[in-house]
Amino acid sequence: MEDLIQEQTIQGWLELDRKGKRRWIVIREGKLFWYKTQTEAKYGGFIDLYRCSNIIPMHERGIERKVIGFTINAYDKKHVFYTKEEEAGKWIESLNIYMSNILGRGTIRRHTRATPVRETILEMEYEEELKEEFSAEKCEQLISDAYQLCSDWYHTPRTFLTGEKIIHKVNGVIMHNWDEFGIEYAVTGSAMVTVYNVRFVPDNDLEFAVIPHLQISKIEAVNEHASNAQKSKLPKFMKKTVPTIRPGNANVMNVLNIECKDGRRLRLTFPLENPGSPRETDSQVVEEFMGQMHVAFPYSVNALFAFRFRQQRDECRSNIIEKMTRAMSVEPSEDVRQRLAAMREDLEAEEDGWTAYSVVDEFRRIGVPNEQWKFTNANCEYRLCKTYPEQLVIPSSVTIEDVKKVANFRSLGRIPALTWRHPNKALNSVIVRCSQPRVGLTNERSVEDEAMCQAIGVGMQGKLYVMDARPKVNAMANQAKGSGYENMAQYKNMTLKFLGIDNIHVVRSSLLKLQALCQPKTLKKRKEYHGWLMSIESTGWLTLIRKILKGARRIAELVEKGNSVIIHCSDGWDRTSQLSALAELMLDPYFRTIRGFQVLIEKDWLSFGHKFAERCGHLSYELDKEYSPIFLQFMDVVFQIVRQFPFAFEFNTVYLIEILDHVNSGLFGTFLCNSIHEREQSSLFQDTYSLWTFINHHANSHRFVNSSYQSPFGMSDPKECHIVDFIDPSTSQPHIVLWEEYYFRYNKHLILPVERGNKLNEVSERIKSNYFGLEAAVKYLLQDPSNVDATQLQELYDRYLNDTFLYADLTPTRHLDDGENDSEDDALSDQDSLNDSPQIADVSADSSPQLGLSQSLFSLTDQGILKQGFLLKKGGNRHNWKSRWFICTPHYVCYFKKQTDQKPCGQVSLEGAKIGTSNRKANCFAIHTVQRTYFISATTEAERDEWMKVLNDVTEKFRISVISVASSET
């Protein structure tokens, strides 16, 4: 060490506190650099020792107070380094000698500072170095790097993620596609394999294809010119080789077919110099490309791109933040400073998605623990059940010894555990989930299990139901294998019902049939509408969706009436997760918000051990018998409910599709592994990002918001108060439709365009069947302006006036099923059933705004105009101010580009809006709505006050109207 000091260089291994990893330290030329390895040329960071005041030793806590490191006090922050006790003293002594003799700085605590003249000169030299290092051009490059890093959360097919590198690339590849007439055409471009996905980049820069490796389910090479279309499948285990293609073989495999789990099929034709007599070099093109695709079939979860993505992105992020902090100290121009500060704030404000769900917080929200329910540590360190969370909620009267005996009686130790509780203490109804009991053919029993089930029903107003998701014949077959279902002769005061939902094998087969039907070759059938419906029905997919929705609705209505429900299937992680989550979605409005839905998935799917790795085939080399789209099925049912209740959900269907895409993306750790225990073992919580980090980022959040969302009871946040707002979806066959937005999104030409007349008829039928009020119907039509015009709205209004159905005459009616009568074993009694009608949008004739009237919305005659004139409006996207013609009606503010325009650019509902002044611009005022805030500026202060007075009068009338309606109902 002394020799190094004489050479004015100090180096060795130290541990940085912020990284927690060892770094190679080199001190030279007055700076302390650290590197990842001893041979690395590029440093990871440095400290300017000219700007450091002193070095302070770090002592271990305790009596001995051993020296375990030291702190260097720099101008901007403290830098802490850790090392072994015998090395710490040498480093401190060497650094003090270096700083004292060479730099003229101080020693431990009693540092000898340089003279003021010397210090001033050093500071001036340092500032000059900083200004040179962070010039205007370099600051722009730093901002560009930060923007590129932020673009990871909203990247497009044209961009690459941080850490994504190209492994192999082939030019001149042809991708086969189909137009709206079903005619195949070719797109030329480049095919490449990266560490994250397979890409096709077209020459026309339009038709990109990006497939994450985890989405791929099958790869095969096909000979385009052979008469029998010989195929060469990818070996099951890859065997670190590729299909053998011998030289001189006339059947060279020059076409690559890639099939995906989401239904996509990519067909790539690779170039051949002479198709008539292919040579060895021709066959090697596909051979090499397939050989590089071994990354599509990872050998372990730790080999996925999610780990590399977070590691490299975190390093880049901390590096850029540090550089931005130093660049801002140089005092750049005000514009550059603001942009640096904004980008740094954006990087520092990234949310940790792993904190989106807290077991304790969620159960406290529903009033647990209480006198009846308690947390238990029986599953601490997963001793009781590997697929359950560590923290469980069980009846207060059940002891840990009883829990252990119940775990031995239930399949895989999945005991009855609370998942949701009704907020009405008078009802005291709950939803509990578990797995099947091990009764076997000998009808074994467990007194502890029976007592635990009885404890679940203590204090409730209604009955206790056991809802077995399986068909009864399947449950009886499991009984022959040693499991089975509860014997009601032993479980007193309980009722057992079978819901008849098919198992994972039926679901897998049904989806494969549906995906085969949703391909371009079925276009002819698609044009024959009746034949198409018959084909869809033959897949059985919609029948499965209807069964699940029907079962979840039964559970929800039972709990709403004060009954408690225990749900299980076989092992309690497939159909049980579907039913419990859907029932809670119908009951609890918090789960219908963006963040609440994340909590629902975390709680009932991830925490309670749905086997995502096996059901999604993450580490499988082919779709084996464990693969089954259970989670896709759940999301499809959620879509059916969202479609029936478009105003009850804060999120839209884009939100559902985004979540589904990332189940098999391999970019986030949220849906990897089979249980929370496996995720902890694989260090997913520390080494990968959560999907909710991406979803909740401000750059994405606006894409998932449903602009028509109406919070229940006017609450700003349903999480604030645990309430029940039961929505009752229809389960009749006509209301269960194919989710074309998802299944046809890669073959959009298969979607039949919706005729305007048909959509209008559909809305009219929904009004008649109590689905929509007039206002809700028009809002539904206006969601897609291309499908509606003023004439249609007038026609709808005329139907509303002339037909026999009026708001006062509307009465809830039970929807008729499609003729299926439930048997006594599989159905609830009529007395236990609730109405099957959805939520009614009751709006009184006096208080409801006539949103859909063509006279008031588009023609806007003087009869309904309160005030009009030109004002300046701040744009929502570009944030520039533009002059617009504003018209205030008794219910809305509409604005036009020109005074003579017949159709407005936009409209602002004044129902629930708040009016206030703003300092964004001179004479500016703001209209605050649930969706956004509109900033408007008048010419003079007097004009601003006039507009605010008119708007406040309108909003006050809304408020008085709501109070009067509530009083009359009371």
Side-chain angles (χ1 to χ4, degrees):
M1 186 74 73
E2 294 177 358
D3 296 334
L4 293 175
I5 295 173
Q6 292 176 1
E7 297 174 5
Q8 300 185 0
T9 302
I10 304 175
Q11 54 188 2
W13 289 99
L14 288 175
E15 185 176 340
L16 276 68
D17 63 328
R18 62 177 182 175
K19 296 292 183 182
K21 296 180 180 179
R22 288 169 59 82
R23 293 290 184 266
W24 179 253
I25 307 297
V26 177
I27 302 176
R28 64 173 182 270
E29 300 175 357
K31 295 181 180 179
L32 184 149
F33 301 87
W34 58 82
Y35 303 81
K36 285 186 178 180
T37 62
Q38 191 172 350
T39 58
E40 190 175 16
K42 187 176 180 180
Y43 60 84
F46 70 90
I47 303 171
D48 194 329
L49 297 178
Y50 281 103
R51 300 285 287 178
C52 298
S53 59
N54 59 1
I55 303 173
I56 300 176
M58 293 287 295
H59 295 277
E60 186 182 33
R61 292 184 179 181
I63 301 176
E64 297 183 1
R65 302 277 293 173
K66 297 179 181 179
V67 178
I68 57 173
F70 55 90
T71 301
I72 299 179
N73 292 323
Y75 71 100
D76 57 344
K77 61 181 293 186
K78 294 181 179 180
H79 299 272
V80 183
F81 299 88
Y82 293 95
T83 183
K84 296 179 181 179
E85 181 183 7
E86 57 271 14
E87 294 290 332
K90 295 180 181 179
W91 273 99
I92 294 173
E93 181 182 359
S94 302
L95 281 169
N96 273 292
I97 295 174
Y98 186 88
M99 295 179 66
S100 178
N101 296 342
I102 299 175
L103 306 180
R105 308 299 279 180
T107 59
I108 299 178
R109 297 188 182 277
R110 302 187 309 274
H111 55 278
T112 305
R113 299 183 60 86
T115 61
V117 177
R118 170 65 175 165
E119 185 174 348
T120 303
I121 294 174
L122 291 174
E123 290 178 355
M124 292 174 61
E125 291 176 353
Y126 178 77
E127 290 175 1
E128 290 297 326
E129 291 178 4
L130 275 181
K131 288 181 179 179
E132 183 179 353
E133 183 180 358
F134 296 104
S135 60
E137 293 78 10
K138 292 186 177 180
C139 284
E140 290 293 336
Q141 182 61 42
L142 190 61
I143 294 174
S144 176
D145 293 342
Y147 179 81
Q148 181 66 31
L149 197 66
C150 291
S151 68
D152 286 337
W153 302 132
Y154 46 91
H155 70 283
T156 65
R158 293 173 172 81
T159 60
F160 288 85
L161 294 167
T162 302
E164 184 179 1
K165 296 181 179 180
I166 299 175
I167 300 175
H168 189 67
K169 181 178 180 180
V170 179
N171 296 322
V173 179
I174 296 174
M175 181 180 73
H176 301 265
N177 212 335
W178 289 263
D179 61 15
E180 63 272 17
F181 302 103
I183 301 174
E184 185 176 358
Y185 66 95
V187 181
T188 306
S190 301
M192 59 185 71
V193 180
T194 74
V195 295
Y196 171 55
N197 53 37
V198 176
R199 288 171 175 260
F200 177 81
V201 181
D203 296 337
N204 61 12
D205 201 38
L206 292 175
E207 302 179 60
F208 285 80
V210 180
I211 303 176
H213 295 316
L214 278 193
Q215 280 284 10
I216 298 175
S217 60
K218 182 181 179 182
I219 308 172
E220 62 181 10
V222 183
N223 176 22
E224 184 181 32
H225 305 285
S227 57
N228 294 328
Q230 296 183 6
K231 300 180 180 180
S232 175
K233 291 186 178 180
L234 202 65
K236 182 177 180 180
F237 187 63
M238 300 295 293
K239 299 179 181 178
K240 299 182 180 179
T241 62
V242 295
T244 302
I245 305 175
R246 298 180 180 178
N249 182 4
N251 296 328
V252 174
M253 309 302 175
N254 68 315
V255 177
L256 198 64
N257 288 335
I258 302 176
E259 296 184 11
C260 304
K261 298 168 186 173
D262 58 4
R264 268 183 293 180
R265 294 185 181 180
L266 188 65
R267 182 179 176 87
L268 302 176
T269 299
F270 288 80
L272 293 179
E273 295 183 6
N274 187 355
S277 57
R279 299 176 298 182
E280 182 178 2
T281 55
D282 300 328
S283 63
Q284 286 179 348
V285 177
V286 178
E287 186 175 340
E288 292 176 2
F289 193 86
M290 292 181 67
Q292 296 298 333
M293 290 189 66
H294 66 276
V295 293
F297 302 95
Y299 58 89
S300 73
V301 68
N302 297 91
L304 293 172
F305 178 70
F307 291 85
R308 178 175 182 173
F309 177 58
R310 173 155 190 176
Q311 178 187 3
Q312 297 198 11
R313 193 179 184 282
D314 279 354
E315 291 179 0
C316 292
R317 178 169 168 266
S318 59
N319 233 350
I320 291 175
I321 291 176
E322 181 182 350
K323 288 181 179 180
M324 283 183 165
T325 304
R326 295 172 58 213
M328 292 176 65
S329 66
V330 181
E331 298 184 359
S333 64
E334 186 63 25
D335 177 59
V336 174
R337 176 187 291 274
Q338 290 180 358
R339 292 165 63 196
L340 283 171
M343 294 304 299
R344 186 182 68 173
E345 182 181 357
D346 196 6
L347 290 174
E348 292 177 339
E350 288 183 1
E351 178 183 336
D352 183 8
W354 294 117
T355 62
Y357 170 64
S358 168
V359 179
V360 176
D361 291 345
E362 170 57 20
F363 278 98
R364 282 178 179 172
R365 184 185 72 87
I366 63 175
V368 175
N370 54 32
E371 63 278 0
Q372 186 181 353
W373 298 94
K374 68 177 181 180
F375 284 102
T376 178
N377 60 355
N379 200 35
C380 182
E381 298 180 357
Y382 307 99
R383 292 190 295 261
L384 196 70
C385 177
K386 299 292 184 183
T387 58
Y388 259 13
E390 286 189 289
Q391 293 178 299
L392 296 171
V393 177
I394 61 174
S396 301
S397 59
V398 179
T399 64
I400 293 182
E401 290 73 18
D402 294 337
V403 170
K404 293 179 180 178
K405 294 179 181 179
V406 173
N408 292 329
F409 183 68
R410 291 282 171 175
S411 177
L412 300 174
R414 296 174 66 88
I415 65 172
L418 179 72
T419 183
W420 192 82
R421 171 183 169 271
H422 199 290
N424 190 337
K425 295 183 179 179
L427 298 178
N428 209 21
S429 53
V430 295
I431 298 177
V432 175
R433 56 180 297 168
C434 60
S435 62
Q436 64 183 343
R438 297 177 176 176
V439 294
L441 293 176
T442 57
N443 283 325
E444 299 290 335
R445 61 180 298 184
S446 169
V447 177
E448 291 77 15
D449 186 80
E450 296 165 13
M452 189 172 187
C453 290
Q454 294 298 322
I456 292 172
V458 171
M460 68 177 181
Q461 191 180 59
K463 300 178 181 178
L464 179 60
Y465 286 85
V466 177
M467 307 299 283
D468 194 325
R470 302 166 293 180
K472 187 173 182 179
V473 62
N474 292 14
M476 295 174 67
N478 284 339
Q479 189 173 10
K481 299 178 183 179
S483 299
Y485 55 93
E486 291 82 357
N487 185 350
M488 289 298 103
Q490 299 166 354
Y491 290 84
K492 305 298 182 182
N493 303 320
M494 293 173 60
T495 304
L496 174 65
K497 300 293 179 183
F498 292 95
L499 299 178
I501 301 174
D502 296 292
N503 58 25
I504 61 173
H505 310 296
V506 177
V507 177
R508 177 178 62 250
S509 175
S510 178
L511 180 68
L512 294 178
K513 293 177 184 177
L514 178 64
Q515 289 179 343
L517 199 60
C518 297
Q519 299 303 320
K521 63 182 180 181
T522 63
L523 182 60
K524 294 182 179 179
K525 291 183 180 180
R526 185 72 171 105
K527 291 180 178 178
E528 300 172 359
Y529 191 70
H530 180 71
W532 170 257
L533 292 180
M534 294 295 291
S535 301
I536 291 293
E537 185 65 24
S538 66
T539 65
W541 182 256
L542 295 182
T543 302
L544 295 174
I545 296 297
R546 180 172 175 264
K547 285 183 179 180
I548 296 171
L549 179 59
K550 201 172 184 180
R553 178 185 163 274
R554 288 176 178 174
I555 294 170
E557 65 181 1
L558 280 173
V559 175
E560 170 65 9
K561 290 186 65 175
N563 304 288
S564 291
V565 176
I566 300 175
I567 310 172
H568 71 71
C569 48
S570 295
D571 295 320
W573 51 42
D574 291 323
R575 289 164 284 191
T576 302
S577 296
Q578 291 176 333
L579 293 170
S580 61
L582 288 169
E584 294 166 39
L585 191 72
M586 298 176 194
L587 291 166
D588 198 330
Y590 172 58
F591 295 137
R592 302 195 284 269
T593 64
I594 291 178
R595 292 183 178 266
F597 193 69
Q598 297 170 12
V599 172
L600 181 67
I601 292 175
E602 286 278 354
K603 175 171 66 73
D604 278 286
W605 288 90
L606 297 165
S607 182
F608 275 100
H610 175 68
K611 301 197 296 182
F612 277 99
E614 294 185 13
R615 295 294 180 259
C616 300
H618 287 165
L619 301 180
S620 301
Y621 304 102
E622 58 183 10
L623 299 184
D624 56 18
K625 63 179 182 179
E626 289 299 319
Y627 170 80
S628 188
I630 299 299
F631 188 70
L632 168 60
Q633 204 176 28
F634 161 74
M635 297 293 267
D636 199 329
V637 180
V638 174
F639 159 75
Q640 306 293 337
I641 304 174
V642 172
R643 178 179 173 273
Q644 293 189 26
F645 298 90
F647 311 116
F649 291 83
E650 186 186 20
F651 52 83
N652 52 29
T653 54
V654 178
Y655 181 64
L656 303 178
I657 294 175
E658 194 73 40
I659 295 175
L660 280 174
D661 283 345
H662 287 291
V663 170
N664 289 316
S665 72
L667 186 60
F668 304 103
T670 304
F671 296 105
L672 300 180
C673 299
N674 290 320
S675 64
I676 190 171
H677 176 52
E678 290 185 11
R679 294 183 190 100
E680 289 181 357
Q681 288 183 324
S682 300
S683 301
L684 292 179
F685 302 116
Q686 295 79 27
D687 297 340
T688 66
Y689 284 118
S690 167
L691 172 60
W692 315 132
T693 302
F694 163 76
I695 292 288
N696 297 331
H697 193 271
H698 65 84
N700 291 309
S701 56
H702 67 281
R703 296 195 298 120
F704 310 129
V705 175
N706 174 19
S707 59
S708 302
Y709 172 62
Q710 297 175 0
S711 181
F713 312 113
M715 299 176 60
S716 58
D717 184 7
K719 187 179 180 181
E720 295 177 357
C721 181
H722 181 38
I723 60 172
V724 168
D725 178 34
F726 178 44
I727 57 176
D728 191 6
S730 171
T731 60
S732 60
Q733 191 174 16
H735 294 97
I736 308 300
V737 299
L738 185 66
W739 190 4
E740 294 184 343
E741 184 184 2
Y742 177 78
Y743 299 111
F744 290 152
R745 57 190 172 134
Y746 299 112
N747 300 300
K748 293 184 178 179
H749 58 276
L750 296 180
I751 302 178
L752 286 177
V754 179
E755 297 181 5
R756 293 182 175 181
N758 289 345
K759 189 164 187 177
L760 193 62
N761 291 332
E762 175 193 352
V763 172
S764 297
E765 290 301 321
R766 289 193 173 200
I767 294 178
K768 291 180 180 179
S769 62
N770 253 2
Y771 264 76
F772 285 161
L774 179 64
E775 179 185 7
V778 178
K779 280 186 178 180
Y780 177 74
L781 282 173
L782 290 178
Q783 286 179 346
D784 187 0
S786 63
N787 289 331
V788 67
D789 54 26
T791 305
Q792 283 186 283
L793 295 178
Q794 182 62 47
E795 182 183 350
L796 176 65
Y797 183 57
D798 292 340
R799 292 186 189 184
Y800 168 71
L801 292 179
N802 298 331
D803 287 349
T804 56
F805 57 94
L806 294 173
Y807 286 124
D809 299 330
L810 290 179
T811 55
T813 56
R814 182 174 178 84
H815 295 289
L816 299 178
D817 285 341
D818 59 347
E820 289 188 17
N821 294 321
D822 298 318
S823 64
E824 184 179 354
D825 289 336
D826 295 345
L828 301 174
S829 62
D830 293 338
Q831 292 80 2
D832 291 334
S833 299
L834 291 178
N835 247 341
D836 199 5
S837 58
Q839 190 181 22
I840 305 170
D842 288 326
V843 184
S844 65
D846 295 334
S847 63
S848 64
Q850 303 301 318
L851 169 66
L853 304 185
S854 57
Q855 296 96 327
S856 62
L857 187 57
F858 295 104
S859 301
L860 292 173
T861 59
D862 293 340
Q863 183 179 1
I865 296 178
L866 302 178
K867 187 172 177 59
Q868 56 186 340
F870 278 106
L871 296 171
L872 291 177
K873 175 185 171 294
K874 187 176 182 182
N877 295 326
R878 298 184 179 180
H879 304 294
N880 52 347
W881 294 83
K882 289 187 177 181
S883 178
R884 293 287 183 262
W885 178 257
F886 278 77
I887 294 180
C888 179
T889 70
H891 307 288
Y892 293 88
V893 171
C894 304
Y895 50 94
F896 304 75
K897 286 186 177 181
K898 299 178 183 179
Q899 185 177 354
T900 57
D901 286 352
Q902 295 297 317
K903 197 169 184 178
C905 303
Q907 58 187 11
V908 183
S909 174
L910 296 177
E911 184 175 2
K914 296 182 180 180
I915 315 299
T917 57
S918 174
N919 58 0
R920 295 292 182 99
K921 197 176 181 67
N923 306 319
C924 181
F925 64 96
I927 303 177
H928 303 278
T929 67
V930 177
Q931 285 78 23
R932 58 172 287 195
T933 299
Y934 298 82
F935 295 100
I936 303 169
S937 176
T939 306
T940 63
E941 184 176 355
E943 184 182 14
R944 180 197 68 182
D945 294 340
E946 290 178 10
W947 273 97
M948 290 183 63
K949 183 178 184 303
V950 173
L951 295 172
N952 279 316
D953 291 342
V954 173
T955 56
E956 182 65 14
K957 289 179 181 178
F958 272 117
R959 189 183 67 82
I960 295 174
S961 176
V962 171
I963 293 175
S964 63
V965 171
S967 301
S968 63
E969 290 178 351
T970 305

